[in-house]
PDB file of all heavy atoms in Angstrom:
ATOM      1  N   THR A   8      -7.201  18.811   4.208  1.00 94.00           N
ATOM      2  CA  THR A   8      -8.315  18.906   5.132  1.00 94.00           C
ATOM      3  C   THR A   8      -9.536  18.257   4.637  1.00 94.00           C
ATOM      4  O   THR A   8     -10.395  17.891   5.487  1.00 94.00           O
ATOM      5  CB  THR A   8      -8.576  20.448   5.055  1.00 94.00           C
ATOM      6  OG1 THR A   8      -8.829  20.915   3.801  1.00 94.00           O
ATOM      7  CG2 THR A   8      -7.524  21.332   5.807  1.00 94.00           C
ATOM      8  N   SER A   9      -9.650  17.777   3.305  1.00 96.00           N
ATOM      9  CA  SER A   9     -10.809  17.183   2.932  1.00 96.00           C
ATOM     10  C   SER A   9     -10.762  15.613   3.384  1.00 96.00           C
ATOM     11  O   SER A   9     -11.994  15.078   3.420  1.00 96.00           O
ATOM     12  CB  SER A   9     -10.985  17.203   1.450  1.00 96.00           C
ATOM     13  OG  SER A   9      -9.937  16.545   0.743  1.00 96.00           O
ATOM     14  N   GLU A  17     -10.726   8.292  11.447  1.00 96.00           N
ATOM     15  CA  GLU A  17     -11.662   7.244  11.330  1.00 96.00           C
ATOM     16  C   GLU A  17     -11.058   5.940  10.809  1.00 96.00           C
ATOM     17  O   GLU A  17     -11.845   5.043  10.462  1.00 96.00           O
ATOM     18  CB  GLU A  17     -12.887   7.610  10.602  1.00 96.00           C
ATOM     19  CG  GLU A  17     -13.543   8.825  11.175  1.00 96.00           C
ATOM     20  CD  GLU A  17     -14.757   9.361  10.312  1.00 96.00           C
ATOM     21  OE1 GLU A  17     -14.834   8.940   9.125  1.00 96.00           O
ATOM     22  OE2 GLU A  17     -15.509  10.287  10.872  1.00 96.00           O
ATOM     23  N   ALA A  28       7.374  19.177   3.901  1.00 97.00           N
ATOM     24  CA  ALA A  28       7.270  20.270   3.038  1.00 97.00           C
ATOM     25  C   ALA A  28       8.294  19.873   1.857  1.00 97.00           C
ATOM     26  O   ALA A  28       9.389  19.235   2.128  1.00 97.00           O
ATOM     27  CB  ALA A  28       7.595  21.601   3.627  1.00 97.00           C
ATOM     28  N   GLU A  29       7.990  20.439   0.716  1.00 97.00           N
ATOM     29  CA  GLU A  29       8.768  20.266  -0.568  1.00 97.00           C
ATOM     30  C   GLU A  29      10.236  20.778  -0.329  1.00 97.00           C
ATOM     31  O   GLU A  29      11.221  20.172  -0.823  1.00 97.00           O
ATOM     32  CB  GLU A  29       8.124  20.933  -1.665  1.00 97.00           C
ATOM     33  CG  GLU A  29       8.421  20.525  -3.059  1.00 97.00           C
ATOM     34  CD  GLU A  29       8.154  19.042  -3.359  1.00 97.00           C
ATOM     35  OE1 GLU A  29       6.997  18.644  -3.213  1.00 97.00           O
ATOM     36  OE2 GLU A  29       8.999  18.398  -3.721  1.00 97.00           O
ATOM     37  N   LYS A  35      12.798  14.742   2.645  1.00 96.00           N
ATOM     38  CA  LYS A  35      13.121  13.981   1.400  1.00 96.00           C
ATOM     39  C   LYS A  35      14.006  12.737   1.620  1.00 96.00           C
ATOM     40  O   LYS A  35      13.776  11.839   1.073  1.00 96.00           O
ATOM     41  CB  LYS A  35      13.696  14.914   0.369  1.00 96.00           C
ATOM     42  CG  LYS A  35      12.853  16.037  -0.211  1.00 96.00           C
ATOM     43  CD  LYS A  35      13.607  16.888  -1.209  1.00 96.00           C
ATOM     44  CE  LYS A  35      12.592  17.997  -1.755  1.00 96.00           C
ATOM     45  NZ  LYS A  35      13.140  18.761  -2.699  1.00 96.00           N
ATOM     46  N   ASN A  46       4.649  -0.248   2.083  1.00 95.00           N
ATOM     47  CA  ASN A  46       4.542  -1.385   1.166  1.00 95.00           C
ATOM     48  C   ASN A  46       4.765  -2.692   2.049  1.00 95.00           C
ATOM     49  O   ASN A  46       4.255  -3.781   1.665  1.00 95.00           O
ATOM     50  CB  ASN A  46       5.386  -1.373   0.029  1.00 95.00           C
ATOM     51  CG  ASN A  46       4.874  -0.342  -0.931  1.00 95.00           C
ATOM     52  OD1 ASN A  46       3.605  -0.197  -1.204  1.00 95.00           O
ATOM     53  ND2 ASN A  46       5.840   0.441  -1.632  1.00 95.00           N
ATOM     54  N   ILE A  64      -3.802  22.005   9.525  1.00 96.00           N
ATOM     55  CA  ILE A  64      -3.617  20.655  10.092  1.00 96.00           C
ATOM     56  C   ILE A  64      -2.495  20.784  10.893  1.00 96.00           C
ATOM     57  O   ILE A  64      -2.388  20.249  12.138  1.00 96.00           O
ATOM     58  CB  ILE A  64      -3.729  19.502   9.070  1.00 96.00           C
ATOM     59  CG1 ILE A  64      -5.004  19.470   8.292  1.00 96.00           C
ATOM     60  CG2 ILE A  64      -3.347  18.219   9.751  1.00 96.00           C
ATOM     61  CD1 ILE A  64      -4.906  18.426   7.070  1.00 96.00           C
ATOM     62  N   PHE A  79      -1.460   7.985  14.980  1.00 97.00           N
ATOM     63  CA  PHE A  79      -2.909   8.081  15.356  1.00 97.00           C
ATOM     64  C   PHE A  79      -3.381   6.628  15.594  1.00 97.00           C
ATOM     65  O   PHE A  79      -3.309   5.829  14.636  1.00 97.00           O
ATOM     66  CB  PHE A  79      -3.620   8.833  14.436  1.00 97.00           C
ATOM     67  CG  PHE A  79      -3.302  10.324  14.407  1.00 97.00           C
ATOM     68  CD1 PHE A  79      -2.240  10.839  13.643  1.00 97.00           C
ATOM     69  CD2 PHE A  79      -3.932  11.195  15.189  1.00 97.00           C
ATOM     70  CE1 PHE A  79      -1.957  12.141  13.708  1.00 97.00           C
ATOM     71  CE2 PHE A  79      -3.708  12.637  15.158  1.00 97.00           C
ATOM     72  CZ  PHE A  79      -2.742  13.043  14.454  1.00 97.00           C
TER      73      PHE A  79
END
Side-chain angles (χ1 to χ4, degrees):
T8 53
S9 69
E17 296 174 352
E29 204 56 57
K35 291 180 180 181
N46 290 318
I64 298 174
F79 290 84

